[in-house]
């Protein structure tokens, strides 16, 4: 099966590599190929994954049966619009991006108008641990037709129905809680560290929620996700804000999550710190670099 990925970041990179390893013909395209400073690293990653790096978006889409869009939330609709001009009947555009239901419906309109089929896909867990087994929810007019293809590839997809936006709504509402927990943990422990009471706070959290791992790896994991992916997560939470506002639900907490996720990224950038410099990740050491102990 000919498969194309638009966007060759964390999620797209993992899925493309694993699908290629199964013997599928996998092509990737990423806008980083357009910049001289980012092209070499992109070429090296494609070579290591044994996937073909296309010369252009048009080249990437030619003859592809399945087209996975795995870009940033801010680029999701733009990519769908660009792809629509190049797609044709018989091709399936799977939108894995974390965006509002209305954004997905706008993307579906342009893809379907081109004669291709649009599949709304919600990625319901981080891709790195389970890779192809990461749970996916899919919807759209052709979702029932595409589901067997995804199952054949070993993807852990579950069919919701024909309505575009339902899968996205589930993902967006869930993100209020998941990314909110990351933001709350970052804010909580940043202050606790400054006051020198972080262990007492963690002990109290563990006593209240003993099954979560507050006394072990959970704080490191939650804060590391913000440090590594805060920019992308802030963009996704902007889409969550839109999701809530579109149905007249106040989005005060979601807007604050945007600020906290982006705030940690901005603080690291202000000190010229990159996530790669912070591994193996220890939350105390990272926060000490941002907020030197008093």
């Amino acid at each position: 099966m000919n498969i194309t990925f638009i966007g060759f970041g964390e999620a797209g990179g993992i899925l493309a590599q694993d699908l290629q390893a199964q013997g599928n013909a996998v092509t990737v395209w990423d806008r980083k190929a357009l910049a001289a400073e980012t092209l070499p690293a992109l070429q090296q990653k494609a070579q290591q994954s044994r996937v073909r790096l296309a010369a252009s978006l048009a080249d990437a889409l030619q003859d592809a049966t399945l087209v996975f869009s795995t870009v940033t939330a801010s680029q999701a609709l733009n990519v769908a619009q660009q792809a629509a001009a190049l797609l044709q009947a018989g091709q399936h555009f799977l939108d894995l991006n974390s965006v509002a239901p209305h954004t997905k419906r706008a993307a579906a309109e342009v893809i379907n108008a081109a004669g291709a089929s649009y599949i709304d896909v919600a990625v319901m867990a981080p891709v790195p641990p389970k890779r192809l087994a990461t749970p996916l929810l899919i919807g759209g007019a052709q979702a029932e037709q595409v589901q067997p293809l995804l199952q054949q590839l070993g993807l852990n997809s579950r069919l919701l129905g024909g309505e575009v936006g339902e899968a996205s709504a589930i993902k967006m509402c869930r993100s209020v809680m998941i990314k909110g927990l990351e933001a709350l943990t970052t804010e909580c422990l940043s202050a606790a560290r400054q006051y020198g009471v972080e262990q007492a706070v963690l002990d109290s959290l563990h006593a209240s929620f003993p099954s979560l791992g507050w006394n072990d790896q959970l704080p490191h994991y939650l804060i590391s996700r913000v440090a590594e992916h805060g920019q992308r997560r802030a963009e996704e939470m902007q889409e969550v804000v839109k999701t809530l506002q579109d149905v007249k639900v106040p989005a005060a907490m979601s807007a604050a999550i945007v600020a906290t996720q982006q705030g940690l990224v901005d603080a690291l950038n202000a000190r010229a710190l990159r996530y790669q410099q912070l591994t193996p990740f220890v939350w105390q050491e990272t926060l000490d670099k941002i907020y030197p102990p008093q």
Side-chain angles (χ1 to χ4, degrees), residues 60-119:
L61 296 179
Q62 187 175 10
D63 298 326
T65 301
L66 300 179
V67 178
F68 292 85
S69 178
T70 52
V71 298
T72 60
S74 64
Q75 291 299 311
L77 181 55
N78 183 44
V79 162
Q81 292 168 336
Q82 291 177 10
L86 302 165
L87 292 170
Q88 54 190 339
Q91 293 183 293
H92 306 288
F93 185 92
L94 293 91
D95 191 342
L96 277 69
N97 302 301
S98 298
V99 294
H102 282 194
T103 304
K104 293 239 174 161
R105 290 176 191 136
E109 185 175 350
V110 296
I111 295 293
N112 291 333
S117 69
Y118 179 93
I119 309 299

Side-chain angles (χ1 to χ4, degrees), residues 8-280:
F8 196 43
E10 180 184 65
I14 290 171
L15 297 177
Q17 182 181 40
D18 287 2
L19 290 174
Q20 187 282 331
Q22 292 182 351
N24 299 289
V26 178
T27 297
V28 300
W29 170 250
D30 194 292
R31 63 177 182 170
K32 290 181 179 179
L34 301 174
E37 63 271 20
T38 53
L39 177 58
L42 186 65
Q43 290 173 323
Q44 182 179 15
K45 182 178 179 180
Q47 184 177 19
Q48 290 173 343
S49 299
R50 298 185 178 181
V51 299
R52 184 178 78 90
L53 179 60
S56 65
L57 179 58
D59 177 34
L61 296 179
Q62 187 175 10
D63 298 326
T65 301
L66 300 179
V67 178
F68 292 85
S69 178
T70 52
V71 298
T72 60
S74 64
Q75 291 299 311
L77 181 55
N78 183 44
V79 162
Q81 292 168 336
Q82 291 177 10
L86 302 165
L87 292 170
Q88 54 190 339
Q91 293 183 293
H92 306 288
F93 185 92
L94 293 91
D95 191 342
L96 277 69
N97 302 301
S98 298
V99 294
H102 282 194
T103 304
K104 293 239 174 161
R105 290 176 191 136
E109 185 175 350
V110 296
I111 295 293
N112 291 333
S117 69
Y118 179 93
I119 309 299
D120 178 13
V121 183
V123 183
M124 299 304 293
V127 174
K130 294 186 177 181
R131 304 177 75 90
L132 290 182
T134 303
L136 307 175
L137 301 179
I138 70 169
Q142 299 297 318
E144 188 172 356
Q145 177 184 342
V146 171
Q147 170 71 343
L149 299 178
L150 300 182
Q151 297 284 301
Q152 176 186 329
L153 293 170
L155 289 162
N156 182 18
S157 56
R158 181 164 68 88
L159 180 65
L160 283 181
E163 183 178 348
V164 170
E166 183 181 1
S168 178
I170 294 170
K171 172 67 182 287
M172 294 289 97
C173 294
R174 178 181 182 274
S175 288
V176 176
M177 190 66 65
I178 299 301
K179 294 179 178 62
L181 185 58
E182 295 171 352
L184 285 171
T185 302
T186 299
E187 186 170 299
C188 167
L189 293 183
S190 292
R193 182 75 169 166
Q194 287 291 293
Y195 282 106
V197 296
E198 68 270 18
Q199 192 57 54
V201 169
L202 288 170
D203 289 344
S204 177
L205 289 171
H206 179 63
S208 297
F209 308 101
S211 65
L212 294 183
W214 290 108
N215 64 337
D216 192 16
Q217 293 302 306
L218 184 63
H220 300 288
Y221 174 75
L222 293 175
I223 298 177
S224 75
R225 298 299 288 176
V226 183
E228 185 176 11
H229 300 297
Q231 183 69 54
R232 173 165 60 81
R233 280 162 140 63
E235 292 179 4
E236 291 175 6
M237 287 306 300
Q238 290 281 14
E239 289 289 325
V240 171
V241 170
K242 293 179 188 176
T243 300
L244 272 59
Q245 292 175 339
D246 285 342
V247 290
K248 312 303 181 187
V249 173
M253 293 299 294
S254 295
I257 294 166
V258 173
T260 301
Q261 294 266 359
Q262 185 65 54
L264 183 63
V265 175
D266 291 344
L268 291 172
N269 289 339
R271 290 156 181 79
L273 292 171
R274 298 292 177 265
Y275 180 76
Q276 291 74 16
Q277 300 170 260
L278 305 173
T279 55

